[in-house]
Amino acid sequence: MKKQLLAAAILCAASFGAFAAEPSYTYVQAGASRNNLDLGTSIDSMDFDGWHVAGSYEFAKDFHVFGGYEQTKNDDFIDIDLDQAQLGLGWHPSIADNADAIVELSYIHQKVKASAFGVSDSENADGYKASVGFRAAFNDVLVGSIKAKYTDSNEGGSEFSPSFGLEARFNPTWSLVGEAEVGRDVKHYIVGVRASF
C-alpha cells in the first residue's frame, strides 16, 4: 500500500512539472512598480514606488488586447503621485517553435498630482506607445521577451527605450514576472505574480 501511495505521489509531482511553457497572451497580474525619473537638475533623479495591475486577452489567432493601471508616489520633499493607465492592441505571429514576434500599439493616460501644506495641483497627459520585439520560451519554466519601444506624450515629449522581461512559471497557471524598461529620462521596473489562462 505504501509503495502504491509513493508511486501515485511521484506521478502527481511529475505531471505538475511537465508542461510546455509556450507564451500565453491571456493573463492577469499584479505586483510592485518603480518609476525612476531623470530630472536633469541638481536633484539627479526621483524614485516613485507603488503597485500595478495588468492583463491581456487573446481574442483571435495572433491578436491580443492588453491594459493596465499603475499608481506610484514619491514623498521625499512633497507628496507627488504618478498614475498611469494603458490600453492597447497587439499582434504576435509565431516565428519558431515557442517563439513569437510582437508588435503592439497602446494609448497611455498619465496623471501627476503634487500636494504640500494642504494645497494640491494636478496635470494630465495623453500619448501613445509603439513597440516591436520578440517573446520566447527558453524551456518549460522560463519565458523571456525583448522589445524596442517608442513613447510619445503631449506633455512629456518622445523617447525610445529598450525593455527586457522574464517570466518564471511554476505550473501552467502561476508564474513570477519581471520587466525593466530603460529609457534616457524614465526607467520603469515591475515585479509581479501572473495567472495565465
Side-chain angles (χ1 to χ4, degrees):
M1 183 67 174
K2 289 182 180 179
K3 289 183 180 179
Q4 291 173 336
L5 288 174
L6 182 60
I10 292 172
L11 284 173
C12 286
S15 64
F16 181 79
F19 62 91
E22 293 181 3
S24 173
Y25 295 90
T26 300
Y27 62 81
V28 293
Q29 76 179 50
S33 298
R34 167 170 280 191
N35 287 294
N36 175 270
L37 275 61
D38 185 351
L39 304 176
T41 64
S42 58
I43 304 172
D44 290 338
S45 64
M46 293 179 69
D47 290 328
F48 292 76
D49 295 314
W51 57 270
H52 75 276
V53 292
S56 176
Y57 178 72
E58 185 172 17
F59 65 91
K61 179 176 172 54
D62 298 340
F63 288 93
H64 61 281
V65 292
F66 62 94
Y69 180 74
E70 178 180 86
Q71 281 190 352
T72 58
K73 69 181 304 179
N74 178 291
D75 56 6
D76 291 342
F77 305 104
I78 59 175
D79 290 337
I80 305 175
D81 297 330
L82 177 60
D83 301 348
Q84 177 173 287
Q86 183 178 18
L87 183 62
L89 175 67
W91 178 48
H92 55 270
S94 177
I95 56 173
D97 289 344
N98 296 336
D100 300 335
I102 298 179
V103 179
E104 294 177 329
L105 182 63
S106 60
Y107 162 78
I108 297 173
H109 177 76
Q110 296 173 321
K111 180 178 181 180
V112 179
K113 181 180 179 182
S115 58
F117 309 109
V119 178
S120 63
D121 191 18
S122 63
E123 287 190 12
N124 295 285
D126 296 304
Y128 70 90
K129 179 174 289 189
S131 62
V132 60
F134 302 95
R135 187 173 182 219
F138 302 123
N139 52 42
D140 287 346
V141 177
L142 296 178
V143 177
S145 65
I146 182 169
K147 299 177 185 177
K149 299 184 176 184
Y150 174 76
T151 305
D152 196 316
S153 169
N154 61 357
E155 294 291 336
S158 61
E159 183 174 38
F160 284 99
S161 57
S163 76
F164 310 90
L166 190 64
E167 177 183 1
R169 303 184 71 183
F170 300 112
N171 58 45
T173 301
W174 295 104
S175 58
L176 286 177
V177 293
E179 184 176 333
E181 182 177 347
V182 187
R184 181 188 69 250
D185 299 324
V186 180
K187 296 174 178 60
H188 182 241
Y189 309 96
I190 63 168
V191 176
V193 177
R194 175 178 294 181
S196 300
F197 306 99

